[in-house]
Amino acid sequence: MEKLIKNARIIDFSKDFLGDIYIENGKIAQIGLDIEKECETIDAKEKVLMPAFIDMHVHFREPGFEYKEDIESGSRSAVRGGFTTVNLMGNTNPICSRMDIVKDVMKRAEEVGLIDVHQCISITNEFDGKDLSHLEDIDTDIVKIITDDGKGVLNSRVMLDAMIKAKEKDLIVGVHAEDEEITPYSYRISENIETIRDIELAKAIGAKLHLEHVSTKEAMEYIVEAKLKGFENITCEVAPHHIYFTSDEENYRVNPPIREIEDREYLLWAIENGFVDMIATDHAPHTKEDKDKGAPGMVGLETAFNIVYEKLVKERGISLNRVSELMSKNPARLLGMNKGEINIGYEADLVLLDLEKEIVIDSNEFASKGKNTPFEGLKFNGEVIKTFKAGKEVYSKE
């Protein structure tokens, strides 16, 4: 299969130029000016072409909660937002603590055929907070990350042992930093206390630690301090809603919650200064009934780029190169994938954007089953025109 995309503004973490990209056999085969080929040709004049986005924090709810989302609806939501790779959390039913569940999810994703999927396995067996015996059976050719996302690992010795095992198997430990015993007293202290504990353990053991949805100024300060001391085994992500809203503006229920203005401003500072590794949505679809009952979370795949473009590029003057680093290059590197950059030989996972187009968020248009979003009715610039997976068009606005 061949495809030629011409006259685009081509942007990745290190490039920003007008030119053409020729795709052959699912990979980028040629980059330059005035490329001519006898194949399908797309004129991308006045459009931006970037590496497709990669989301390190997604809930597709399958197996067990398909009434909220399933792999097909989630995949369609992803490509509509410009994403071709997602990292799925394990808080399904059954909880993803076994390789047979991982393989079933991967098979379903392959059948749908729109995106690449990485499925996490739980840190503790069935989220019981204690048992790590299932980690012996992980196929590390398939699974790269373990996480009990949705809850923290309360027992420090259990987390220490999990990090020792993760280092032995070269796994990444993804942490939802929350001490649930402290949460009723203070959500802030709850996040901060587990963040500093897990950083100290990772520093001592040398395990790869990935801190999920960092939301407080203090938690990010601990991460900045560790990075300044050279601990390259520690990475972190920030969610779009935590850099957009403050608690004075929006009380939509998410976990961790929307924080105060000082938190948002520090997260933005950390992004500007290179301490945040990636933007990840924590895409969490719920039915209206479940949200009305207090379920935390929002859908995020179809609004992520708009929020990031508005808050980082338009308001803060952060470059699209940095956006591409946060949303494509760094997550690809963490997962060990040959994508996230525009270079010859890389997979042709690409997104075509119209940055001048103003859109209004309308959840009725979402491909996700989830319509739970606090961004309903808000206006943003930037629209995903087409998404390509290995050179194949998997989404088109037209």
Side-chain angles (χ1 to χ4, degrees), residues 178-239:
E178 180 183 0
D179 185 327
E180 291 176 318
E181 294 177 345
I182 302 295
T183 296
Y185 173 74
S186 170
Y187 252 126
R188 175 177 295 275
I189 297 173
S190 176
E191 178 174 346
N192 293 345
I193 200 166
E194 277 214 355
T195 299
I196 197 164
R197 179 202 70 179
D198 292 341
I199 287 173
E200 288 302 313
L201 289 175
K203 284 161 65 175
I205 295 163
K208 295 176 183 176
L209 173 67
H210 181 69
L211 292 143
E212 302 165 350
H213 46 46
V214 179
S215 70
T216 71
K217 178 181 179 182
E218 297 88 356
M220 186 56 72
E221 284 176 333
Y222 303 144
I223 294 165
V224 169
E225 179 184 23
K227 285 175 173 281
L228 287 173
K229 290 181 178 178
F231 288 96
E232 296 180 358
N233 56 315
I234 295 170
T235 57
C236 70
E237 68 188 41
V238 167

Side-chain angles (χ1 to χ4, degrees), residues 277-386:
D277 298 283
M278 53 204 76
I279 302 288
T281 68
D282 196 4
H283 176 84
H286 292 294
T287 62
K288 183 179 184 302
E289 293 74 19
D290 286 342
K291 280 303 291 183
D292 289 344
K293 293 175 185 175
M298 68 176 75
V299 289
L301 286 164
E302 295 172 65
T303 56
F305 177 76
N306 302 107
I307 297 161
V308 170
Y309 182 63
E310 176 78 21
K311 207 70 193 175
L312 300 190
V313 181
K314 291 185 67 183
E315 290 189 17
R316 309 287 289 210
I318 293 172
S319 70
L320 280 165
N321 302 108
R322 176 69 172 136
V323 169
S324 187
E325 183 178 29
L326 292 163
M327 296 184 71
S328 302
K329 174 186 174 250
N330 287 349
R333 292 253 177 118
L334 193 65
L335 288 171
M337 306 185 89
N338 183 40
K339 58 174 71 178
E341 303 175 29
I342 294 179
N343 284 314
I344 291 171
Y346 275 65
E347 292 182 36
D349 283 24
L350 303 165
V351 59
L352 189 65
L353 302 157
D354 184 347
L355 298 185
E356 301 304 315
K357 181 69 180 293
E358 183 180 79
I359 66 167
V360 179
I361 303 300
D362 181 356
S363 61
N364 292 316
E365 296 179 353
F366 287 174
S368 172
K369 290 182 181 180
K371 313 301 177 187
N372 48 309
T373 176
F375 294 98
E376 184 77 36
L378 297 185
K379 294 180 179 179
F380 293 94
N381 279 97
E383 183 173 47
V384 174
I385 303 300
K386 293 181 184 293

Side-chain angles (χ1 to χ4, degrees), residues 63-117:
F65 302 107
E66 288 88 347
Y67 69 96
K68 295 175 185 274
E69 188 84 288
D70 57 40
I71 289 168
E72 181 171 356
S73 64
S75 296
R76 295 192 183 282
S77 178
V79 296
R80 188 172 183 268
F83 291 86
T84 58
T85 305
V86 298
N87 179 47
L88 297 180
M89 301 298 106
N91 56 341
T92 49
N93 185 22
I95 291 165
C96 191
S97 299
R98 307 191 312 268
M99 284 305 304
D100 63 310
I101 301 172
V102 171
K103 290 175 181 177
D104 285 346
V105 168
M106 304 279 283
K107 181 181 177 183
R108 279 280 295 126
E110 288 174 11
E111 289 170 351
V112 172
L114 292 175
I115 64 172
D116 286 330
V117 160

